[in-house]
Amino acid sequence: MNAAFPLRRDLSLLAEQRFDLLVIGGGIYGAWTAYDAASRGLSVALVEKYDWGSGTSSASSKLIHGGLRYLENYEFGLVRHALKERRTLYGIAPHLVRPLNFVLPMWKGPRANPLMISAGLWLYDALALGSRPVQRHRGYRPRELLAEYPFVDPERLLGGFRYGDCQEDDARMTLSVVAAAQSCGAVCANRVKAERLLMENGAVVGAELRDELDGGCFAVRAKVVVNAAGPWAGELLGAAAPKVKLVKGTHLILPAIEGCKEAFLLTARDGRVFFVIPWYGRTLVGTTESSVTHPAQAIPNEEETRYLLAGVRKGLPGIAWSEADVIASFAGVRMLQAEDAGSLSKLTREFEVLQPLPRLVMHVGGKYTTSRHDSIGIVDTVYRVLGQRPPASVTHQRPLPGAPQGEFESWQAQAIGELAACGVDLEASRWLSLRHGTVVSAIARLIQEQPELAARIDPQVPFIYAEAVHALREEMAHSLDDLVRRRMPLSLLSRDPHWRQRLPELLASAGCRLRA
């Protein structure tokens, strides 16, 4: 086994050998595919043209969940599958996947059916097999709900429900899976673009790659190629690209709801459901759904902002957010099966493995939550293309890098104490433990060597300078955007622009260099 960290970007390793598998695309599906294949014994190369998780995999709702709303479409198998994965991911990454309660208020109206919702939540609990880490659902009478959440609209309120799911940091999870792939021998490199596929005798035999940092081009040969570029997958395939549906989802970052630790599931004016979720001391609101023709169209617009704010004001009028309260926004694009559905929200998230060209494998559909298990199907297909019987997957058994052993809360208390002794404030220490797990010991050592790194980059957001130094030295971060959007989502959470000058100056004093 190799070390998970530091992540090593050594392009000479890519050109020196012919791999069993080349994975193109460093989002969550590419990361899990590379990890699963390497852990089963294949020689694997994983390349990403930008940064790990820089596309759709850092633009999700930050949830590991069963998808309660999919029960409405009778997608029971998908929900059961996702709930099983929720349990698995909590088991192998308890520092990254944490329980979160959701509140579902109900008001009188044509779609109001408390008995059906109650039955759906009983089924949701049953499909989860009563497993940790979340509590079973409970119901609220109107008076009980308003006593705990006075900002909920009291007009025509029938009551509500509370149920459990899990929250995560999507970019952080993707990075951890890449590190797990490296620990199993995969050669991983970001800022490496696949310019074109290499073909011999009508079959794919590798790809011509370009180093986006230094400009050099080179070829990597592999027995099988997996195109895990998600919405960008068609750019490599040309006429061989399968027909898919691209769906954009936009999220807003807003201030925290004071005194509230629960998330809310609300209904917008057009009947779509969306989330209002506490996240890093702010609130994440989303998502919208609209068709696009290219992932470059994943840009939030004013209409989507007004739509989401109107939905919040409709269900939670006591909060009264306006456009002036929006701290940031982001959008991502999902690649779903091209089917004729009455609405985008009814498009299936079911997963399918395709072979559009000989010795090239790709997937369509899927969810962030189910990506680990879905990658098993991708790698099984790779083995069949190789003419080999696939050995059993082991990723469900192995803790991800940073996962503490034993009881999580006891470990976390000890880790927070270690960081606090170095001068890190308690809130930042808590978030460091949730983002890095046992790797916080390396961050603590950085602070011991340079105590000023214990300070927050922005006093209002729980990220410290030592985390930025660690990202540049250990986590294959290159640019400011790598640091403040994916290694830590500072640019989404901060209202203070002054850190953009302070951070590069302090990094330079620590001997770290940012690329443009």
Side-chain angles (χ1 to χ4, degrees):
M1 295 287 285
N2 300 324
F5 293 104
L7 289 174
R8 300 182 303 277
R9 186 181 185 274
D10 186 347
L11 301 193
S12 67
L13 296 176
L14 289 173
E16 286 176 356
Q17 60 177 304
R18 184 186 185 195
F19 294 89
D20 294 322
L21 174 62
L22 168 63
V23 181
I24 299 171
I28 192 61
Y29 271 88
W32 276 119
T33 298
Y35 175 31
D36 185 80
S39 68
R40 295 202 230 178
L42 295 181
S43 60
V44 178
L46 170 65
V47 296
E48 159 58 42
K49 67 177 178 179
Y50 297 126
D51 185 29
W52 308 119
S54 57
T56 307
S57 295
S58 59
S60 75
S61 296
K62 325 299 182 187
L63 299 175
I64 298 296
H65 66 130
L68 178 65
R69 68 188 179 94
Y70 301 139
L71 291 178
E72 187 178 15
N73 299 338
Y74 305 108
E75 295 184 271
F76 302 120
L78 177 62
V79 174
R80 183 189 300 109
H81 176 34
L83 289 171
K84 183 178 180 180
E85 278 303 289
R86 186 185 70 183
R87 180 172 71 250
T88 297
L89 294 173
Y90 174 76
I92 64 175
H95 58 308
L96 296 172
V97 179
R98 302 305 303 156
L100 178 67
N101 283 329
F102 286 75
V103 176
L104 173 59
M106 296 204 65
W107 295 272
K108 293 179 182 177
R111 296 187 63 187
N113 193 330
L115 288 177
M116 181 176 291
I117 296 297
S118 179
L121 288 169
W122 279 108
L123 178 59
Y124 201 63
D125 288 340
L127 290 173
L129 303 176
S131 62
R132 290 187 66 196
V134 306
Q135 303 171 353
R136 288 183 173 272
H137 83 278
R138 60 154 291 186
Y140 286 92
R141 297 181 183 275
R143 184 176 297 178
E144 294 175 310
L145 191 68
L146 292 171
E148 289 196 39
Y149 313 105
F151 43 80
V152 171
D153 184 6
E155 296 295 324
R156 302 190 303 163
L157 184 66
L158 294 172
F161 298 89
R162 185 211 67 211
Y163 70 96
D165 259 318
C166 286
Q167 185 174 43
E168 48 97 40
D169 183 317
D170 49 9
R172 196 86 224 163
M173 173 73 84
T174 303
L175 182 76
S176 296
V177 180
V178 171
Q182 177 179 276
S183 74
C184 291
V187 178
C188 306
N190 61 3
R191 296 298 195 280
V192 174
K193 180 182 179 181
E195 297 275 18
R196 65 182 183 90
L197 297 172
L198 298 178
M199 307 288 294
E200 287 184 5
N201 300 320
V204 176
V205 294
E208 184 176 314
L209 307 180
R210 177 181 176 84
D211 180 358
E212 295 288 86
L213 294 183
D214 297 323
C217 292
F218 57 99
V220 169
R221 301 182 69 83
K223 298 175 184 176
V224 183
V225 173
V226 166
N227 184 348
W232 293 267
E235 295 179 1
L236 274 175
L237 296 177
K243 186 178 180 181
V244 297
K245 176 81 75 173
L246 299 182
V247 179
K248 181 181 81 164
T250 290
H251 294 80
L252 308 178
I253 305 294
L254 288 144
I257 301 175
E258 187 174 354
C260 182
K261 296 182 179 180
E262 287 76 33
F264 286 80
L265 186 63
L266 301 176
T267 304
R269 60 176 180 263
D270 59 356
R272 282 199 66 257
V273 297
F274 67 98
F275 297 113
V276 178
I277 305 169
W279 194 59
Y280 286 115
R282 305 293 195 201
T283 303
L284 179 67
V285 177
T287 179
T288 62
E289 286 185 325
S290 59
S291 292
V292 295
T293 58
H294 192 275
Q297 296 170 311
I299 300 172
N301 59 48
E302 293 182 2
E303 181 182 354
E304 292 164 334
T305 297
R306 290 193 294 267
Y307 169 87
L308 290 171
L309 289 174
V312 175
R313 286 193 294 267
K314 175 176 175 282
L316 310 177
I319 296 176
W321 282 323
S322 71
E323 293 181 39
D325 294 302
V326 176
I327 299 169
S329 60
F330 62 88
V333 174
R334 287 162 288 173
M335 181 179 66
L336 304 179
Q337 295 182 28
E339 59 179 12
D340 187 15
S343 71
L344 294 178
S345 62
K346 292 186 181 297
L347 281 173
T348 182
R349 270 60 174 170
E350 290 287 357
F351 169 82
E352 184 178 9
V353 181
L354 307 174
Q355 291 179 252
L357 291 171
R359 295 194 169 270
L360 184 132
V361 177
M362 66 174 290
H363 79 278
V364 177
K367 296 176 57 187
Y368 198 107
T369 298
T370 61
S371 55
R372 184 206 67 86
H373 189 274
D374 292 343
S375 73
I376 298 173
I378 296 173
V379 177
D380 283 350
T381 302
V382 169
Y383 270 100
R384 286 193 289 272
V385 173
L386 290 171
Q388 301 177 28
R389 182 177 179 179
S393 175
V394 296
T395 57
H396 64 292
Q397 300 172 334
R398 297 182 176 180
L400 285 180
Q405 301 299 306
E407 205 268 330
F408 177 79
E409 283 69 23
S410 296
W411 169 84
Q412 186 184 38
Q414 183 178 355
I416 290 174
E418 179 184 6
L419 291 165
C422 296
V424 183
D425 68 86
L426 290 178
E427 184 187 13
S429 295
R430 175 179 171 272
W431 282 114
L432 279 166
S433 71
L434 293 175
R435 295 166 55 71
H436 294 272
T438 58
V439 183
V440 294
S441 295
I443 295 175
R445 288 193 294 272
L446 280 177
I447 298 170
Q448 291 165 357
E449 296 169 4
Q450 198 170 344
E452 62 269 28
L453 297 180
R456 291 191 182 201
I457 301 169
D458 175 349
Q460 302 303 315
V461 182
F463 307 123
I464 62 172
Y465 287 108
E467 191 172 6
V469 173
H470 177 78
L472 287 168
R473 293 180 179 177
E474 305 285 326
E475 296 179 343
M476 213 182 285
H478 304 287
S479 70
L480 185 63
D481 192 55
D482 294 349
L483 284 181
V484 302
R485 177 61 179 86
R486 289 171 292 279
R487 302 306 182 277
M488 47 187 171
L490 175 64
S491 61
L492 293 179
L493 303 170
S494 175
R495 288 184 177 274
D496 179 9
H498 296 97
W499 59 262
R500 290 186 177 274
Q501 179 179 351
R502 295 193 303 263
L503 179 57
E505 291 175 351
L506 188 136
L507 291 173
S509 72
C512 296
R513 182 172 68 94
L514 286 170
R515 289 179 178 261

